[in-house]
Amino acid sequence: MKVVEVVKHQAMRFVKKCTTREGIFGDYDYKYLFVPEVPFFSKEHKTQPFFGVDADMPIFLGFILGFQHALSMLAGVVTPPILIAGVANLSPQITQYLVSASLIISGLLSMVQITRVRLFKGYYMGTGLLTMVGTSFASIAVVTKAFPMMYESGDCPIAADGTQLPCPDGYGKILASAVICSLLEIALSFTPARILQSVFPNIVTGPVVLLIGTHLIETGMTDWLGGSACHGTDTVCHIGGHDKPWGSAQYIGLGFLVYVTILLSERFGSPIMKSCAVIIGLLIGCIVAAAADYFDGSSIGLAPAATFVWVHTFKLELYGPAILPFLAVRLVLMMEAIGDITATSDVSRQPTEGLLYETRIQGGLLADGINGIISGLGTVTPTSTFAQNNGVISVTKCANLTVGYWCAGFMLIMGVFSKFAAAIVTIPKPVLGGMTSFLFCSVAIAGVKIISTTPFTRRDRFLLTASVLPGMGAILLPNWFEHVFTYKGSNNALKGFFNAIVLVMQTGFAITGFIGVILNQFLPQVGDEAEEIEEVVLETVGSAGQDGRNLYASKENDKLQTFNPNHTSVEYLGTQSSNEHER
C-alpha cells in the first residue's frame, strides 16, 4: 500500500507541475537572461534564486537553461570530429556522420556522468552533479601527428600521384588505441584524488595544457586563412564561389568578423549571449559568408534526414605508436576531470572536501574512463568533462540535474537530425577557423593560468624550463626527430617501437608531460625554497586582498584547481561559493 501511495503522490505532483503556471514557469525573471547590456544605459542587476542539485524547478526554466548549456557546448563538441576527419581525408558524408555521432555520444555520456549510481563498498559511477561531457581537443594533437606517420608507413593509402586518399582504417586504429588507454583512468579512479594531485600537480599539468592549446592554434589559424588543403601550395583555395589564394584579405576578414562578434557578445551581450558568445560569432560569420557566396550547400541536400551511431563503422585495430601519446592524453583528461568536478561542486554549493566530495571525484573518474571506452566503440574519439558549463551555472545560479538532462536531450536531437551536422560541416574554413582559433587560444591561456599558481622557486623555474623545452621545440619544428631512427629492415615490431618513440618526441604535450612527471619526483625543493614559497604566497596575499587570502588558504589546504583543455574556465576553488554566500 505504501508503494501505491508514493506512486499516486508522485503522479499528482507531476500533473500539478505540468498544468499550473507555477509548475511550468515559476516566478523566475526570464527577462534577465535575454536583455543585453546596451551602451550608455545601466542594466539593473537582480538576485536570482539558486536552484540546487535536487531542487524542484519550473519546466520552462529547465528547458531554456538546458538549451543554453547545449549551445555553450556545441562549438567544442563539433570541432574535433571536423578537424580529425580532415587529417584522415575522410569523405564529407563520413565527416557529417562523425559530427552527428559526437553530438549523440556527448548527450548519452553526459547522462552517464550526471547520474550517480552506487556500485559496491562505497564506490560510485557518475558525479551526481551537472557535469556535461563532450569530445576532447586533446586527441587532435595526437591525431595530427599519427596520420602523417600512417601515410608514410603504408597504413593509409596514397594515390600514384602522391595524393593522400581517405583512411577510415587509420581512424579505426585511433579509436582502438584510445579505447585501450581508457582502462588506465578506470584503474586510477580508485586512487584517492589527493594522491593523484601530488603525482600530477599544476606545475606538471599546466605546461601540458599550454602546449596542447599552442599546437591547436596553428590548426585554427590555418583554417582562418583558407584551410590546410591549399596551404603551402601554388593552387588557390576554392571556398564556395570564390577562388582566392591562401591568406587573402577576404578570408582573413571573414574570420576576423567572427572574432569581433565574440568580443562584442562578451561585452554587451545578455547572460545567455555571454555563455554562447562563440556560437553567436559563428552564426554571424555564417550569415555573412552565405550572403557573400562562400557557402556550398550541395552536401546538405544529400544528407539523410536522420542518423545514429554505427551508421558508419570502422575496423578497430591497435596502432602501437599511438599508445604512449594516448596514455598521456588519458592522464590529462583525468586531471581535467578532477579539477572540473571540483569546480562544479563549488559553483553548485556542494562540499569540496570530505567523503561526499571524494566519492564524487571517484565516481566521476570512473565514469570518465568508461565513457572513453563507450565513445570509442561509438566511433567517437575520447570525450572529457566540459568546464564552460560551470560558467553557465555561475551566471544562472542553477545547478539542477534536470537542466543537465535537458541539455543532453538537446545534444541527442541535434545529432540525430543529420541535416544539422551537414550544415556545420559546410561552414567555410575561414569562418570555422575564426571560431576554433578563439577556442584553442583559450586552451593555451588555461594552461598559463594553471602555471601561474606555481610559486616559481628556482626549482620550479628549472623544472618548467626543462620540461617545456622539448615540447615547445616539437611544436615549432614538427619533424625534428624523424631522422633519428632510420631503420628500414623487415622487423615490423622494432619499426613500430621506433615509430612510437618518434611520435612521443614529436607530440609536444606528451614529451613535456612525461618529463614533467619524472622531474617533479626527481628534483627536491632545496634549502630555503619552502620558506620562499610561503613568502611569494604572502606577497600575493598582500597585493590581492581577500582573493589573495583565499589563494593562500587554498595552497595551505592543497585545494584542487580546475582546468579544461576544452574551454577557458580556470578558477580558484573555495572562492566563488564563499562569495556567493556572503552576497
Side-chain angles (χ1 to χ4, degrees):
M1 287 297 294
K2 290 184 178 181
V3 175
V4 174
E5 292 177 0
V6 170
V7 172
K8 183 178 179 181
H9 176 70
Q10 293 296 332
M12 292 177 61
R13 286 187 58 189
F14 179 76
V15 171
K16 181 179 179 181
K17 190 176 185 67
C18 296
T19 56
T20 63
R21 186 186 186 285
E22 180 182 357
I24 297 175
F25 297 103
D27 58 356
Y28 193 84
D29 184 10
Y30 294 95
K31 179 182 176 182
Y32 163 78
L33 293 175
F34 296 97
V35 175
E37 296 183 13
V38 181
F40 310 111
F41 290 90
S42 61
K43 180 181 178 181
E44 182 182 359
H45 293 278
K46 297 183 178 180
T47 301
Q48 298 284 23
F50 180 81
F51 291 93
V53 172
D54 299 314
D56 186 36
M57 65 181 304
I59 295 175
F60 185 69
L61 181 60
F63 175 89
I64 292 294
L65 297 185
F67 188 59
Q68 181 181 4
H69 276 276
L71 289 179
S72 70
M73 294 177 60
L74 183 60
V77 171
V78 303
T79 298
I82 293 175
L83 296 181
I84 292 173
V87 176
N89 298 295
L90 301 179
S91 66
Q93 291 75 22
I94 294 183
T95 303
Q96 294 170 10
Y97 161 75
L98 291 180
V99 171
S100 291
S102 294
L103 290 166
I104 294 170
I105 290 294
S106 296
L108 293 175
L109 299 189
S110 293
M111 294 182 184
V112 173
Q113 188 66 274
I114 292 171
T115 307
R116 179 175 161 90
V117 178
R118 185 183 179 92
L119 299 178
F120 56 89
K121 295 183 179 179
Y123 290 106
Y124 294 81
M125 184 176 72
T127 63
L129 299 170
L130 209 168
T131 310
M132 306 308 298
V133 172
T135 45
S136 174
F137 289 155
S139 303
I140 302 175
V142 177
V143 172
T144 54
K145 294 293 184 181
F147 269 101
M149 187 175 290
M150 290 183 191
Y151 279 107
E152 183 179 350
S153 63
D155 292 304
C156 289
I158 299 179
D161 60 356
T163 303
Q164 294 180 347
L165 301 176
C167 189
D169 287 346
Y171 183 74
K173 292 181 179 181
I174 292 295
L175 294 178
S177 302
V179 166
I180 291 299
C181 293
S182 298
L183 297 174
L184 174 66
E185 186 171 4
I186 294 176
L188 292 178
S189 67
F190 299 99
T191 303
R194 188 174 296 273
I195 295 177
L196 295 176
Q197 184 70 1
S198 67
V199 177
F200 306 102
N202 290 344
I203 198 173
V204 172
T205 56
V208 170
V209 178
L210 171 63
L211 293 184
I212 289 175
T214 303
H215 173 76
L216 294 177
I217 289 172
E218 179 185 1
T219 302
M221 290 298 295
T222 302
D223 282 344
W224 186 335
L225 273 64
S228 59
C230 55
H231 180 211
T233 66
D234 295 330
T235 60
V236 295
C237 301
H238 303 284
I239 302 179
H242 296 264
D243 295 331
K244 303 290 182 182
W246 187 85
S248 66
Q250 291 86 342
Y251 296 156
I252 294 176
L254 274 179
F256 188 72
L257 173 64
V258 177
Y259 173 76
V260 171
T261 304
I262 294 172
L263 298 182
L264 294 177
S265 298
E266 177 64 27
R267 173 60 183 88
F268 300 111
S270 65
I272 281 185
M273 291 178 65
K274 289 179 187 291
S275 61
C276 309
V278 174
I279 289 298
I280 293 175
L282 185 65
L283 178 62
I284 297 298
C286 288
I287 292 173
V288 173
D293 193 27
Y294 283 93
F295 260 99
D296 179 8
S298 58
S299 60
I300 300 179
L302 298 176
T307 188
F308 203 70
V309 293
W310 303 305
V311 169
H312 291 279
T313 57
F314 306 90
K315 181 181 178 181
L316 296 180
E317 182 180 349
L318 284 181
Y319 183 60
I323 295 299
L324 284 178
F326 267 121
L327 287 176
V329 166
R330 207 67 245 177
L331 293 175
V332 169
L333 298 184
M334 180 182 66
M335 296 310 299
E336 168 194 332
I338 292 176
D340 189 38
I341 294 167
T342 306
T344 306
S345 296
D346 184 58
V347 297
S348 302
R349 302 184 183 180
Q350 295 291 309
T352 55
E353 57 184 11
L355 181 60
L356 176 59
Y357 163 74
E358 291 176 359
T359 56
R360 290 195 193 279
I361 294 292
Q362 177 273 314
L365 291 182
L366 179 58
D368 202 45
I370 292 175
N371 285 350
I373 295 177
I374 297 175
S375 65
L377 297 179
T379 68
V380 174
T381 52
T383 58
S384 65
T385 55
F386 269 30
Q388 55 264 45
N389 298 92
N390 293 327
V392 179
I393 295 173
S394 179
V395 170
T396 61
K397 294 186 178 180
C398 179
N400 196 269
L401 299 186
T402 303
V403 172
Y405 291 117
W406 274 110
C407 174
F410 282 119
M411 302 295 285
L412 281 169
I413 292 172
M414 288 187 286
V416 168
F417 291 99
S418 53
K419 296 287 187 182
F420 180 78
I424 291 176
V425 171
T426 59
I427 294 174
K429 290 294 185 182
V431 176
L432 186 67
M435 181 267 291
T436 57
S437 297
F438 195 93
L439 287 178
F440 296 155
C441 192
S442 73
V443 175
I445 297 304
V448 173
K449 182 67 173 178
I450 299 166
I451 296 173
S452 68
T453 63
T454 302
F456 281 99
T457 63
R458 182 186 180 281
R459 178 260 190 187
D460 295 336
R461 293 193 298 270
F462 184 88
L463 190 156
L464 285 171
T465 302
S467 61
V468 169
L469 169 60
M472 189 67 73
I475 292 175
L476 298 176
L477 297 172
N479 301 321
W480 74 284
F481 207 76
E482 66 179 8
H483 299 297
V484 175
F485 298 110
T486 58
Y487 176 76
K488 302 295 183 182
S490 58
N491 190 331
N492 291 330
L494 182 60
K495 188 183 297 184
F497 175 71
F498 287 153
N499 286 341
I501 296 176
V502 171
L503 187 57
V504 170
M505 296 301 292
Q506 293 187 168
T507 305
F509 80 89
I511 185 61
T512 289
F514 288 132
I515 292 177
V517 169
I518 294 171
L519 291 182
N520 184 60
Q521 302 299 321
F522 178 73
L523 295 176
Q525 295 284 5
V526 180
D528 297 331
E529 288 187 346
E531 297 179 5
E532 182 181 344
I533 294 175
E534 184 173 349
E535 291 176 2
V536 170
V537 175
L538 289 176
E539 288 177 5
T540 305
V541 172
S543 61
Q546 182 61 44
D547 287 340
R549 285 187 287 275
N550 288 333
L551 170 59
Y552 181 65
S554 70
K555 287 185 175 297
E556 288 294 297
N557 296 322
D558 292 325
K559 292 280 188 182
L560 297 176
Q561 295 163 319
T562 185
F563 67 93
N564 193 323
N566 289 306
H567 215 271
T568 57
S569 179
V570 182
E571 44 190 320
Y572 296 113
L573 303 177
T575 302
Q576 183 166 351
S577 63
S578 61
N579 291 340
E580 290 281 357
H581 289 304
E582 289 174 5
R583 284 195 293 270

